[in-house]
Amino acid sequence: MPDDGLIRRVKALACTAPLQALEDNKGSLGRVDARPYHMVELALHTIDQVAMAMDFDKGAEHAKVIEQVTHFAAVQVPEQQGHEHRVVAEWVLHKLINIGTLDRGFTWTYGRVDGEGTYSRYAFDFKLLVEHSTSDGHVYLRVTDEAINVLVGALDTDVESAQVAAEHKLEYLINRGRLEDAKLAAEQARYRTVQYGEYLRQYLDATRRDVRAVDWEQQVPTLLEDALKHIEARYRHESAILTNITEHRDGARDARKKRQAAGLVDIVRECIHRHMQLQARLQGAGALFRKEQDRQQFSGPPQRAAVDVFNQLLVPLLGLSVGAAVAPVSDFFRFGVAPVPPAVTSMGSLVGRLLTVRSESSVYAGAVPVPEVQRDGEAVRFSEEDQHIAGKLIDLAVEETRSLSALLSEARVHGPSVERLVLHDAVHAFSPALSEAMLRGDSTVLIATPAVGELDVPSLGGDELLISRVGLKAPEGEWDDDVSRDEEFDE
């Protein structure tokens, strides 16, 4: 009978094969004596540094990763010189990227028994580190799902169930005081958070390339809804865990326990920060789909991919002699250059061109008309007084709630411009940019929630909104030790 569990374990071992190959082939590094280094540890440390530096838009920079791995290599073999540590770090990074191959991937052959008892062989293609270019021209490193699974010791694990299990395990270990094991569980939960964000990034990247390749009718909306529920539950759970860890840190008398608890606090806070980044991306996913749909609808038919001259022509020809390389090069340029249509296609067109009287061309093209430019009146803008009045009306106290109809009624007394400004702020408050407000260090944010009923405004229609101003927690690293934990996490 088919054994899916066996295949999962084989694939899990396949992902560790490139790391074991580093240990087996470290003697081939002729410039440096690499035998004292533990290459598997250096490879795991490299993958760890790239995973922790990733976000939705960018990844890890090559130079910074090499610098961090160089420090770790210097700790392993302190008797070696500094440039030797750097050579080893670069070699490990290049091997994990698999530089030197055409697709920069690894392949592992495994077998599978089908329902009829027939044993067949298949190829499992995977990558550990990949390079991604951004719109500004920079190239960053990102880890793949296989690399994350190497770190946590599993393959093809459901992200949601793994995250919940890791958090329950973390809470249990903290309650039992096993902080060393709790630190490992917290790091695994953090890797799962990175993997969940990577899944969403792949959907968005596929949408940017072709909106038809992603199911935005059922699959992606279900994913977005599940992800928002995931963030809500994880944020509540991790906040409770963070409170528990802080109690252990403050109540511990052993200095070692305090340091371990402080490290756990940093890891859980980073998980909360990553969840907030994921929430911001989820809220903008629908707008990105509509934008890409409009852009790709008018972009025309897809173009054929360009020929890779370096890998498809130059590299194969370097191994040939001059006589053998002439024919492929001639064929390439003959088929690569577009054909030029003849100027004369028939005898009638040839006779007509020969009998055409040549006209004397003038040196000057003629008088250049001077366009008449008219100044348009300046666009109507909101005055500073209107903005001041509107800001004063919308500047509610913390936990104060007003209906949008009441605010617009007060603003209408001061004129239509003030009413328009208040309506503008209220609409933006319906989907506030929480992550940007926290990065700026704002202590409060204006939010709007739907209410029962419709707007009581003659010139406008729609549902009623409740406008309120709520407080935000302080950014990371800026908590006051004298403030109670209940106030730190009060929203």
Side-chain angles (χ1 to χ4, degrees), residues 42-61:
L42 291 175
L44 288 174
H45 186 70
T46 303
I47 297 174
D48 194 5
Q49 297 301 321
V50 176
M52 292 304 99
M54 282 172 48
D55 57 16
F56 284 91
D57 297 325
K58 299 180 180 179
E61 298 181 5

Side-chain angles (χ1 to χ4, degrees), residues 252-277:
R253 297 183 179 180
D254 186 6
R256 182 168 172 269
K257 291 288 185 180
K258 282 185 174 291
R259 287 194 300 269
Q260 292 175 347
L264 280 173
V265 169
D266 294 336
I267 293 176
V268 177
R269 283 178 178 173
E270 183 181 354
C271 288
I272 295 175
H273 178 66
R274 287 184 179 274
H275 283 150
M276 295 179 62
Q277 288 183 330

Side-chain angles (χ1 to χ4, degrees), residues 12 24 72 75 87 108 124 177 323 351 405 427 473:
D24 297 336
F72 186 63
V75 174
V87 171
W108 185 273
F124 172 53
V351 174
S405 299
V427 171
K473 72 171 187 178

Side-chain angles (χ1 to χ4, degrees), residues 43-205:
L44 288 174
H45 186 70
T46 303
I47 297 174
D48 194 5
Q49 297 301 321
V50 176
M52 292 304 99
M54 282 172 48
D55 57 16
F56 284 91
D57 297 325
K58 299 180 180 179
E61 298 181 5
H62 292 69
K64 291 184 178 180
V65 173
I66 292 176
E67 181 181 358
Q68 293 166 348
V69 179
T70 301
H71 294 328
F72 186 63
V75 174
Q76 282 191 355
V77 189
E79 60 272 12
Q80 298 276 33
Q81 298 182 5
H83 73 280
E84 295 178 340
H85 302 318
R86 185 173 185 84
V87 171
V88 172
E90 292 178 351
W91 184 73
V92 171
L93 179 60
H94 292 170
K95 288 297 183 180
L96 292 177
I97 303 174
N98 205 9
I99 293 178
T101 59
L102 185 60
D103 59 348
R104 295 190 174 184
F106 303 96
T107 302
W108 185 273
T109 303
Y110 67 96
R112 180 184 179 91
V113 180
D114 57 18
E116 299 178 356
T118 304
Y119 183 83
S120 304
R121 297 185 182 273
Y122 300 91
F124 172 53
D125 299 325
F126 65 95
K127 296 180 181 180
L128 297 179
L129 297 181
V130 294
E131 294 176 314
H132 280 270
S133 60
T134 58
S135 57
D136 55 0
H138 292 82
V139 178
Y140 295 95
L141 292 170
R142 301 188 69 90
V143 298
T144 61
D145 295 338
E146 291 80 8
I148 296 178
N149 287 322
V150 167
L151 291 175
V152 300
L155 186 69
D156 292 340
T157 306
D158 180 67
V159 177
E160 178 70 18
S161 60
Q163 181 79 5
V164 174
E167 289 173 351
H168 283 291
K169 178 181 177 182
L170 174 61
E171 184 178 11
Y172 171 79
L173 294 174
I174 292 173
N175 293 332
R176 296 296 297 272
R178 298 167 57 183
L179 297 184
E180 292 184 356
D181 296 336
K183 182 176 183 296
L184 178 60
E187 290 176 347
Q188 293 178 354
R190 180 172 58 179
Y191 294 141
R192 287 302 175 192
T193 302
V194 174
Q195 190 177 20
Y196 203 100
E198 185 68 8
Y199 284 162
L200 177 62
R201 188 193 65 82
Q202 292 175 3
Y203 276 114
L204 297 181
D205 287 347

